[in-house]
């Protein structure tokens, strides 16, 4: 091993130790305890996992999360790209910073503004946790993550050489042809990063859902974090540990899928 590599590993050692002590070691304990019944030493194998997969609340939380991703990711990308093009072409850098502002607001302020906006649209009181409150939650996710998408896409769009766009326009390409055939393929890396951020923020918006619906919200608003929090409060640690392991496996699988799609996109772009 070269001296430079040794120095790199030494510099990364504190971070690796923190990762192992703060994440991997507790995760290993959770994996080990998930094969036992409750807090006892009775080995039950995969019984906790089969019980979890048959649990209605866990399935409801997964369906709501997947539905949120399926709606939020396309909307966020479409709006983010169009607004980024607007910022680059006409509005300038100040407007893109305005879209980033909701991401740094306190959660309570964001929820209050979203619910007030919902009431202005003529909906009933969203604090009654009816189906309309899910639209408020979706609006919060889109609003808080839209700024990141606009900033990232605008930065990638500005990195495209002007000669490429000029050549496309000289060949007769219009706005939409330049967007779909020139700009979007060149900013594919930025779009992939935006997808990861939207997925991550859609998963971690438990505080917003908690402020809207509390510990036991409407079924349309019930999330994985609600499920984990309620099982922790009920001291159902076996189910909690099994759910935590499945969530980690699911996040890891999504990461591998996105990485595989990215490599395939890169391979096609080089061929």
């Amino acid at each position: 091993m070269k001296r430079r590599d040794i120095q790199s590993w030494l510099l990364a050692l504190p971070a690796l130790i923190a990762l192992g002590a703060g994440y991997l070691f507790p995760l290993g304990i959770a994996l080990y305890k998930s094969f036992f019944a409750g807090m006892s030493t009775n080995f039950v194998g995969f019984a906790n996992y089969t019980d979890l997969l048959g649990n209605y609340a866990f399935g409801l939380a997964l369906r709501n999360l997947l539905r949120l991703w399926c709606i939020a990711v396309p909307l966020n990308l479409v709006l983010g790209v169009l607004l980024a093009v607007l910022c680059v072409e006409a509005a300038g850098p100040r407007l893109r910073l305005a879209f980033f502002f909701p991401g740094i607001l306190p959660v309570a302020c964001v929820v209050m503004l979203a619910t007030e906006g919902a009431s202005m649209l003529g909906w009933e009181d969203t604090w009654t946790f009816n189906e309309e409150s899910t639209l408020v939650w979706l609006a919060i996710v889109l609003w808080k993550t839209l700024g990141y998408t606009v900033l990232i896409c605008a930065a990638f769009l500005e990195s495209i050489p002007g000669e490429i766009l000029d050549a496309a326009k000289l060949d007769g390409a219009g706005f939409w042809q330049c967007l779909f055939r020139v700009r979007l393929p060149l900013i594919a890396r930025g779009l992939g990063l935006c997808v990861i951020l939207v997925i991550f923020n859609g998963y971690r918006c438990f505080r917003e859902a908690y402020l809207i619906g509390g510990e036991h919200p409407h079924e349309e608003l019930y999330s994985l974090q609600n499920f984990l929090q309620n099982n922790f409060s009920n001291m159902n640690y076996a189910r909690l540990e099994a759910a935590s392991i499945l969530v980690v496996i699911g996040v890891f699988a999504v990461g591998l899928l996105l990485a595989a799609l990215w490599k395939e996109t890169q391979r096609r772009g080089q061929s």
Side-chain angles (χ1 to χ4, degrees):
M1 183 179 293
K2 297 181 180 180
R3 182 178 179 180
R4 186 174 180 179
D5 295 335
I6 296 176
Q7 292 177 346
S8 300
W9 281 106
L10 289 177
L11 290 174
L13 185 61
L16 294 175
I17 293 175
L19 176 65
Y23 292 94
L24 299 181
F25 182 68
L27 185 62
I29 295 178
L31 177 62
Y32 174 76
K33 295 294 293 182
S34 66
F35 295 109
F36 294 87
M39 299 297 293
S40 67
T41 57
N42 297 328
F43 182 79
V44 294
F46 290 95
N48 291 324
Y49 292 93
T50 56
D51 174 70
L52 179 66
L53 294 176
N55 185 271
Y56 174 77
F58 184 72
L60 176 65
L62 283 181
R63 290 194 299 271
N64 288 340
L65 180 61
L66 292 176
R67 183 173 58 180
L68 180 66
W69 284 349
C70 292
I71 298 175
V73 171
L75 281 178
N76 189 281
L77 291 180
V78 171
L79 292 176
V81 169
L82 293 179
L83 291 173
V85 172
L86 175 64
C87 292
V88 172
E89 294 289 341
R94 294 185 178 180
L95 181 60
R96 70 188 72 170
L97 294 178
F99 290 109
F100 183 74
F101 182 71
I104 61 177
L105 282 177
V107 176
C109 295
V110 177
V111 172
M112 181 187 68
L113 291 175
T115 51
E116 287 296 328
S119 62
M120 291 176 61
L121 293 175
W123 297 344
E124 297 179 358
D125 185 10
T126 55
W127 299 95
T128 56
F129 324 136
N130 51 25
E131 293 184 3
E132 293 167 350
S133 61
T134 60
L135 299 177
V136 178
W137 191 25
L138 176 61
I140 290 171
V141 174
L142 286 174
W143 191 26
K144 292 194 67 173
T145 59
L146 186 60
Y148 296 98
T149 304
V150 173
L151 283 176
I152 294 172
C153 291
F156 275 87
L157 287 172
E158 288 180 338
S159 67
I160 299 176
E163 295 81 1
I164 297 178
L165 296 176
D166 292 338
K169 292 177 182 178
L170 287 175
D171 290 336
F175 173 80
W176 296 108
Q177 289 177 322
C178 286
L179 179 62
F180 287 105
R181 297 189 177 184
V182 179
R183 282 174 163 165
L184 290 183
L186 292 176
I187 65 170
R189 181 180 300 178
L191 294 177
L193 179 59
C194 294
V195 170
I196 294 174
L197 289 176
V198 176
I199 289 176
F200 178 72
N201 283 286
Y203 172 75
R204 62 186 290 268
C205 59
F206 168 68
R207 294 172 298 174
E208 292 85 349
Y210 185 83
L211 287 175
I212 294 175
E215 295 181 359
H216 302 282
H218 188 274
E219 286 191 357
E220 300 292 329
L221 195 62
Y222 193 79
S223 66
L224 274 176
Q225 289 86 346
N226 287 111
F227 178 81
L228 297 175
Q229 176 66 30
N230 292 338
N231 279 277
F232 178 78
S233 301
N234 297 332
M235 301 180 65
N236 194 343
Y237 297 128
R239 181 180 294 172
L240 177 64
E241 289 157 349
S244 301
I245 296 300
L246 288 182
V247 168
V248 171
I249 293 175
V251 172
F252 187 70
V254 170
L256 290 179
L257 178 61
L258 292 176
L261 292 175
W262 170 246
K263 289 182 179 180
E264 180 65 20
T265 303
Q266 290 291 95
R267 186 186 64 82
R268 290 183 179 181
Q270 293 175 358
S271 60

